[in-house]
Amino acid sequence: MQIFSEIAPGVDGIYVENTRFNTTLVSFNFFVPLSEDTVADNAVLPYVISSCSYDYRDYSKLNFKLDMLYGADLNIGVDKVGDMQRIKLAISVINDEYAFEPQTLIDDAVELLLSLVFRPAVENKCFFADDVEREKRKMKEHIIGEINDKRVFAKNRMLSLMFKDMPYGMSKYGTAEKVEGITGTSLYEAWQRLITDSYVRVQVIGKKLPDGLFSRVAEKFSAHRSIQRKVYPTAAPAPTADSVNEVTEYYDVSQGKLVMGFSSEVYGNDAYSLSVMTDIFGGGPYSALFENVREKMSLCYYCSASSVRNKGLLIVDSGVEVENAEKAVSEIVNQLELIKAGKFSKFIFEASKKSMCSSLKSYNDSIGALDGWYSTSVFEKTPKSPEEVSDIISSVTIEDVISSANGIKLHTVYKLLPAKEDK
Amino acid sequence: MTTNVFKSEIIGESYTEVVLENGLRVFVYEKPDFDSSYAVFGTKYGSIDTAFSLDDGDVVNVPEGIAHFLEHKLFESEDGDAFTKYAATGAYANAFTSFDRTCYLFSCSNLFEKNLDILLDFVQNPFFTQQTVLKEQGIIGQEIRMYDDTPSWCVLFNLLEAMYHKHPVRIDIAGTVDSISKIDDKLLYKCYNTFYDPSNMFVCVCGNIDADAVTEKIKNGVRQSNCSEIKRYDAVEPESVVRSYVEKQLEVSIPLFCYGYKQPVSAEVTLYDSVCVNLLLKVLSDDASPLYKKLTDAGLINDEFDAEYFTGRGYAAILFDGESWDPRAVADAINSEVLRLKKDGIDEELFEAVRRDAYGLAIKRFDSVNGISMMLVDGAIHNYNIYDELEIIKSLTVQDISKYLRYFNADKSVLSVIKKGC
């Protein structure tokens, strides 16, 4: 991995050389603070600028061009990374040697991506109404459609309760109402903020760094940016509570969902003991939750834990039958207490570390996973590679795990249960 | 033992197929640059195998969902469950059952041989008692209820139920709470002994491995074949659909739809057919197509819109699915576009664009060890070389794919909709 620091103010480049893929990927990752006022505009913007541009005014023509580049994949993503909103525009394309006739596929794909980012279809500092309205409609449908997947819906609902009035509690897309309020002008302002004020990570993964790519990118950004970088990625720790916040909501479903949010005293970029502790608690099929809550006690059909190191946040996510919901809550808490007391086997401890190291090693086998890895590791100037993190995970001790577990405190319990009249 | 080597000049790689004395087919694809490896031990046995006989014996009818049930139970053995064994190596392990196959898999970045031993061991050593079967009925019952709450699952199975009169593809892969209550240990052993014979199975491996060593290990780790001939009794399926519209109410915001054309199946759908129909689907509804633009501009579809060619033993259908406030209008627009293509022909430029798109996607599939393993599984079940798709795409013309427009017959179509209750 090579880092090209500050190729323009607030813009870093990363090149990960990887010879095993038939594909090359280039991604632009813009980081802006999560804010009620801008979150919806920032979320809709990448969909508008990736559907048409000054050079490809119509999205059918743009998609035709992508098809002609042998299915160049234009991947758009909006995510929360710490207290930042990450807007990703990535393109991946097969290497030139696979084209039917000699063609510079990678250069053409990079040129296309640059034109989408820097030459949007605008007039008088305003995006065109038909483009804006089309993408607003799709985004509103996406937001209200989240209820269609109860597992994701319940998890997001828990986060909004636990992080009430905090940036991390926001939906990464904003609300349908906020999306409705977007105009061509507000979107243009969002585009300007992205180009001038955000922190940017430009990543390239492939066999070869395309000639002059970072200098072209630097030139484009430098034209828009002042010397002082204005935005740095940040993440505030999860809140703690004196008493547990319990919320139950009822929907027309036959099976319930239970999501629990915990705060962790151990947090930050290097809080790898929290990652190992989370895996022992509810990672693989060897974990405490799978082994006991699902298998032995049959309280949940699925029950797993995940954590966000930078936020000091641990989440337990499960599917429960309504009559088991209360029992599941107490058993999940009980399993955590056992870990706090060091009551887990050395076998499980080793199994967790082996499983985590094995999956870390496999990051190098997926171009998309590598892109995701480096565009999430933005809280340190020099991101660690998956291999480096694997070495750190290997060195975590049982004492580290116990100490990490003892800093975990339940904050919110959210239950999504079948509507009462159905019972 | 026979060995076949398949090579691709396009990709610059090769893989081998070895057919062992017991009939087991072993496919090994070396990817020395990769860190991880992936292995699948599978059987040609899925949810549609509900009636069969062995060596011309009596026809056995089994409860729906038993293949999936067997998959769950196989992870347990007398000396502990397979997950615990994998936990000692750090491998990721899983299994799945679909209409025509059951596969057990793992991926790992070290201790490959040890993981392969675990895989060969637990799949070949069933252990069920009536007590463990009873417990599993509870767990799978919860899984079935979870699918009942999953709109994207319900919209597909409602469509299949409305499309097929008799073919077991119309039944949920996991069965029903009622059907799985009829499963006992004896029936499980009966199915196991029939379909988990090496002659009906395959192993597909891809990754940073030594092909000869892996093949030798598998050869030494599998048992003899006991079975001579499995006969499957598939009900004769009429060409018509059961009903053309089906609707269910669930907790959704925007209605979900699945619109499908039933295709009469006289012979097995070949890889060539499948590549042609998939290209035709791109011409028809890819995001560069006139139909996609028309539906998007009219506010009728969003990014969830998708199309697939859904095929297997004794069934084939062309499916479109997505979210829409007016699913009927989407179905009508698809039918109109099909009529237009039948009348005006396919645009040559668009055809060339989607041909390149399909080719690029096919090249990308060789960037992943699990992607390659899954292609090997498909190749093992349908008897094709996994590099053939690239050659077929390269050779196709507009005329080749136009012939398949006849499969889009509105008289044999079904619209399935999930919407919110009143």
Side-chain angles (χ1 to χ4, degrees):
Chain A
M1 187 244 309
Q2 280 175 270
I3 299 173
F4 295 77
S5 258
E6 291 277 314
I7 55 173
V11 183
D12 289 333
I14 284 188
Y15 170 54
V16 183
E17 185 185 338
N18 194 316
T19 55
R20 66 192 77 173
F21 305 124
N22 303 327
T23 318
T24 298
L25 180 145
V26 178
S27 71
F28 279 74
N29 302 278
F30 298 91
F31 294 84
V32 289
L34 277 162
S35 149
E36 291 277 2
D37 296 335
T38 57
V39 66
D41 279 285
N42 293 338
V44 170
L45 179 67
Y47 292 95
V48 173
I49 64 176
S50 65
S51 66
C52 57
S53 70
Y54 183 84
D55 303 305
Y56 296 93
R57 184 59 196 87
D58 178 86
Y59 65 89
S60 296
K61 289 200 175 65
L62 174 62
N63 289 320
F64 181 84
K65 171 75 180 172
L66 291 166
D67 282 354
M68 286 301 279
L69 288 173
Y70 293 82
D73 182 20
L74 188 56
N75 179 24
I76 310 307
V78 177
D79 273 295
K80 289 190 279 191
V81 176
D83 290 336
M84 310 299 285
Q85 191 181 13
R86 182 187 67 198
I87 289 110
K88 181 189 281 290
L89 285 106
I91 199 160
S92 66
V93 64
I94 57 169
N95 293 337
D96 296 354
E97 62 264 32
Y98 298 110
F100 293 152
E101 61 274 336
Q103 199 177 338
T104 52
L105 295 176
I106 298 170
D107 283 347
D108 290 0
V110 168
E111 211 45 61
L112 178 62
L113 187 61
L114 286 171
S115 92
L116 296 178
V117 172
F118 290 101
R119 279 163 65 85
V122 291
E123 197 174 57
N124 300 325
K125 298 191 172 184
C126 182
F127 280 88
F128 291 99
D130 53 344
D131 299 329
V132 176
E133 292 308 315
R134 179 187 63 243
E135 298 306 325
K136 273 169 65 178
R137 170 188 66 86
K138 283 164 50 178
M139 182 56 80
K140 280 185 286 183
E141 290 182 3
H142 186 82
I143 292 169
I144 63 168
E146 281 178 355
I147 183 82
N148 294 6
D149 184 339
K150 308 293 175 298
R151 186 169 181 173
V152 175
F153 176 82
K155 198 169 159 184
N156 286 338
R157 188 77 186 96
M158 191 288 290
L159 287 175
S160 72
L161 295 164
M162 182 169 174
F163 291 86
K164 194 170 185 297
D165 300 326
M166 284 174 246
Y168 202 70
M170 266 175 242
S171 155
K172 61 188 180 182
Y173 299 121
T175 61
E177 293 71 30
K178 286 280 183 189
V179 171
E180 182 53 40
I182 293 173
T183 65
T185 308
S186 71
L187 216 50
Y188 184 81
E189 286 163 4
W191 175 74
Q192 274 203 314
R193 281 196 303 272
L194 220 59
I195 298 299
T196 59
D197 295 345
S198 62
Y199 169 66
V200 188
R201 226 350 136 62
V202 181
Q203 305 187 153
V204 183
I205 304 165
K207 275 183 186 161
K208 182 175 164 288
L209 181 62
D211 289 339
L213 171 66
F214 285 132
S215 47
R216 270 151 75 205
V217 171
E219 200 182 308
K220 298 268 186 196
F221 276 111
S222 296
H224 294 271
R225 296 198 158 218
S226 62
I227 301 300
Q228 284 300 314
R229 181 200 290 187
K230 292 178 184 161
V231 173
Y232 295 87
T234 55
T240 52
D242 295 332
S243 60
V244 178
N245 177 24
E246 290 195 56
V247 176
T248 303
E249 290 174 337
Y250 299 92
Y251 286 88
D252 181 13
V253 291
S254 60
Q255 199 182 42
K257 304 284 175 207
L258 165 67
V259 188
M260 297 162 73
F262 301 80
S263 62
S264 165
E265 283 173 11
V266 176
Y267 67 90
N269 217 37
D270 297 323
Y272 293 104
S273 62
L274 172 62
S275 307
V276 178
M277 181 263 142
T278 306
D279 197 76
I280 291 171
F281 184 36
Y286 43 78
S287 68
L289 295 182
F290 187 93
E291 182 77 23
N292 297 294
V293 181
R294 186 193 126 125
E295 289 295 300
K296 284 196 186 135
M297 304 177 79
S298 296
L299 290 173
C300 306
Y301 171 62
Y302 64 85
C303 187
S304 63
S306 58
S307 56
V308 184
R309 270 197 330 278
N310 282 288
K311 294 293 297 175
L313 166 67
L314 188 149
I315 301 167
V316 171
D317 166 28
S318 67
V320 291
E321 298 295 343
V322 63
E323 62 273 21
N324 292 334
E326 277 311 317
K327 215 170 155 192
V329 172
S330 49
E331 191 50 38
I332 289 165
V333 170
N334 178 43
Q335 290 300 323
L336 179 63
E337 292 304 318
L338 292 173
I339 293 176
K340 286 183 183 182
K343 291 183 180 161
F344 55 92
S345 67
K346 183 139 194 301
F347 177 80
I348 291 178
F349 170 71
E350 292 297 339
S352 267
K353 295 209 297 184
K354 278 182 200 159
S355 158
M356 292 173 82
C357 292
S358 178
S359 74
L360 282 163
K361 217 172 158 192
S362 67
Y363 268 86
N364 287 326
D365 288 346
S366 160
I367 203 162
L370 277 175
D371 182 49
W373 174 273
Y374 286 105
S375 60
T376 308
S377 320
V378 286
F379 298 99
E380 49 195 348
K381 191 69 191 162
T382 306
K384 293 183 185 71
S385 67
E387 294 93 322
E388 287 170 311
V389 171
S390 174
D391 289 344
I392 298 173
I393 296 285
S394 300
S395 68
V396 170
T397 64
I398 288 184
E399 291 70 35
D400 295 336
V401 169
I402 295 170
S403 153
S404 179
N406 277 288
I408 303 289
K409 204 170 165 198
L410 181 58
H411 186 287
T412 297
V413 175
Y414 174 71
K415 298 191 203 96
L416 186 160
L417 296 179
K420 284 178 175 153
E421 58 267 28
D422 287 354
K423 279 195 279 178
Chain B
M1 194 169 98
T2 56
T3 304
N4 298 306
V5 179
F6 302 97
K7 285 188 178 150
S8 168
E9 282 185 18
I10 297 171
I11 300 288
E13 293 175 357
S14 65
Y15 69 96
T16 56
E17 175 194 11
V18 175
V19 185
L20 303 180
E21 301 293 341
N22 60 11
L24 180 78
R25 296 164 74 200
V26 179
F27 298 83
V28 186
Y29 198 121
E30 291 180 351
K31 274 277 196 184
D33 290 347
F34 278 62
D35 284 310
S36 51
S37 302
Y38 201 92
V40 183
F41 194 1
T43 165
K44 290 193 261 181
Y45 173 49
S47 65
I48 62 173
D49 296 301
T50 51
F52 56 87
S53 70
L54 205 53
D55 292 337
D56 286 331
D58 293 340
V59 178
V60 182
N61 287 288
V62 290
E64 290 149 1
I66 193 166
H68 173 255
F69 202 102
L70 187 50
E71 173 225 304
H72 270 236
K73 290 312 303 164
L74 221 48
F75 277 92
E76 283 172 22
S77 61
E78 272 182 290
D79 61 341
D81 82 43
F83 283 125
T84 311
K85 293 174 189 165
Y86 281 122
T89 68
Y92 165 80
N94 210 339
F96 66 89
T97 306
S98 68
F99 297 107
D100 60 359
R101 68 195 72 174
T102 309
C103 293
Y104 302 83
L105 57 95
F106 72 81
S107 83
C108 65
S109 11
N110 42 42
L111 301 174
F112 178 83
E113 296 211 346
K114 196 167 178 193
N115 288 316
L116 185 60
D117 279 337
I118 298 170
L119 179 70
L120 295 174
D121 179 57
F122 86 85
V123 175
Q124 294 188 99
N125 289 295
F127 173 70
F128 332 115
T129 63
Q130 196 46 25
Q131 198 181 6
T132 62
V133 169
L134 273 174
K135 190 185 167 216
E136 203 65 33
Q137 279 165 346
I139 293 172
I140 296 181
Q142 283 194 45
E143 184 178 349
I144 292 169
R145 281 161 64 79
M146 189 179 77
Y147 291 134
D148 288 344
D149 274 344
T150 308
S152 55
W153 185 263
C154 293
V155 79
L156 171 66
F157 278 91
N158 287 355
L159 174 123
L160 295 174
E161 219 176 284
M163 187 174 269
Y164 289 92
H165 296 262
K166 295 178 177 173
H167 195 287
V169 72
R170 69 196 300 278
I171 308 296
D172 195 314
I173 291 164
T176 62
V177 172
D178 181 49
S179 73
I180 62 165
S181 71
K182 295 175 185 133
I183 293 172
D184 61 25
D185 52 338
K186 289 183 191 65
L187 269 177
L188 286 173
Y189 276 114
K190 180 102 193 162
C191 291
Y192 180 86
N193 291 329
T194 304
F195 293 105
Y196 283 69
D197 187 88
S199 60
N200 191 50
M201 299 183 77
F202 49 84
V203 179
C204 301
V205 179
C206 176
N208 187 354
I209 35 119
D210 178 300
D212 292 337
V214 167
T215 309
E216 192 59 25
K217 188 159 197 57
I218 294 169
K219 197 176 126 191
N220 296 329
V222 292
R223 60 164 185 264
Q224 291 305 302
S225 170
N226 292 318
C227 171
S228 41
E229 196 188 3
I230 304 167
K231 262 195 190 159
R232 293 166 165 94
Y233 296 87
D234 294 339
V236 180
E237 175 64 31
E239 287 193 7
S240 64
V241 300
V242 181
R243 53 188 177 280
S244 58
Y245 182 75
V246 57
E247 185 182 302
K248 185 180 177 178
Q249 297 186 341
L250 277 179
E251 184 77 56
V252 294
S253 48
I254 311 171
L256 273 79
F257 70 89
C258 185
Y259 180 58
Y261 298 91
K262 184 178 182 179
Q263 179 191 321
V265 182
S266 42
E268 193 184 356
V269 173
T270 63
L271 177 66
Y272 180 86
D273 296 331
S274 175
V275 172
C276 287
V277 173
N278 279 313
L279 269 195
L280 191 51
L281 284 176
K282 282 180 181 287
V283 168
L284 189 67
S285 62
D286 178 83
D287 49 15
S289 69
L291 176 68
Y292 185 89
K293 181 162 174 57
K294 184 179 164 188
L295 290 170
T296 301
D297 289 350
L300 286 168
I301 55 166
N302 54 33
D303 294 342
E304 301 295 316
F305 184 62
D306 204 3
E308 73 162 312
Y309 191 32
F310 174 81
T311 63
R313 195 182 77 236
Y315 63 90
I318 290 156
L319 307 179
F320 297 86
D321 62 85
E323 296 174 349
S324 179
W325 297 107
D326 190 351
R328 175 54 70 191
V330 177
D332 289 346
I334 294 169
N335 281 317
S336 302
E337 183 65 2
V338 167
L339 289 176
R340 189 185 72 80
L341 291 180
K342 283 179 178 169
K343 188 167 145 279
D344 298 346
I346 290 168
D347 180 90
E348 289 274 358
E349 274 193 352
L350 181 58
F351 168 76
E352 184 52 25
V354 301
R355 189 171 76 100
R356 288 177 186 223
D357 177 54
Y359 189 75
L361 295 177
I363 295 270
K364 281 182 192 173
R365 277 201 278 277
F366 290 92
D367 273 349
S368 144
V369 290
N370 55 345
I372 292 172
S373 303
M374 285 305 151
M375 283 194 280
L376 291 172
V377 169
D378 275 335
I381 290 175
H382 300 296
N383 294 313
Y384 63 74
N385 165 353
I386 65 170
Y387 298 128
D388 285 351
E389 184 182 4
L390 293 165
E391 302 292 347
I392 295 169
I393 297 170
K394 267 185 115 167
S395 74
L396 289 178
T397 64
V398 165
Q399 289 69 35
D400 294 327
I401 70 160
S402 300
K403 293 174 206 158
Y404 291 84
L405 275 168
R406 69 179 189 279
Y407 290 159
F408 295 75
N409 184 346
D411 292 340
K412 297 190 175 61
S413 67
V414 177
L415 176 62
S416 162
V417 176
I418 303 282
K419 50 166 75 164
K420 192 175 166 67
C422 302

